[in-house]
Amino acid sequence: MTAENQQQVRLTQAYHLATTAQNFQLGSNVLASLSHLAVQMDDARTAERLALKGISQVTGSQAHAPHLVARLHTMEGRALAMQGKEREARRALDAGESALDSVGRGTRDSWLSGFDRASFAGEVALCTYDLQRYEDATQSAAEVIALRSASDRVRSRILASLTLANALAALGDHAGAARVGIEIITAAPGLGSARAHSGLAQLRQRLSEQSALPEVSEMNDRLAASAASAQIPEAQAEWSV
């Protein structure tokens, strides 16, 4: 069983416990995490369904958990963008941003998953990338990197940097994409994230035809030295939520 499948099982158990306890806010928080996991597993329709289910459950609770409402709408947007539904995705993202705008200091319950401006910008970057709006994706990814620059959220910066590198590659700036890849390797050579390692390996593959470029050659050498390798998820389990 893959790490994603194990996480799916744990989150599903947590959701059913929350439902049994009739704690719908907690259940919606778990549904947001399940939706995010479904996106990672490339199951866009399930991700959309889970996000909508969470939104339905938390309806009327926005004044108490705007972070959660924002996250659910944003995950809905991610799922819609993966399906190429640009207008619907932008509507969901607008709803997520509106909920985030209503957040006041100290309003988030400590048990809720964190979701802030940088989190939102990171998801927007991925949405616009999926919609092939690559310039928009570079802007949102750069916003995440700037917002996280003074924090210890290294993984968040790395994932945003991967989005930035892929968007630059899609725009034809192969040297720029490789430079970002080098920055990732330099900033966190020992980062224990399968997604980061997989993303770097995929970036190397994407730039394979540009290996004559000095920047690409250097990135490949550094990747080889750090022994970064792709880790692709295996077959998905059935969703029981």
Side-chain angles (χ1 to χ4, degrees), residues 67 126 211 214 221:
H67 287 92
L126 291 165
S211 58
D221 289 344

Side-chain angles (χ1 to χ4, degrees), residues 22-38:
Q22 295 188 329
N23 189 331
F24 299 113
Q25 192 176 93
L26 175 58
S28 294
N29 190 55
V30 177
L31 285 170
S33 295
L34 279 166
S35 179
H36 189 266
L37 180 61

Side-chain angles (χ1 to χ4, degrees), residues 72-85:
L72 285 162
H73 278 298
T74 304
M75 294 320 304
E76 178 194 3
R78 281 292 314 277
L80 290 166
M82 289 173 67
Q83 298 173 68
K85 299 177 180 179

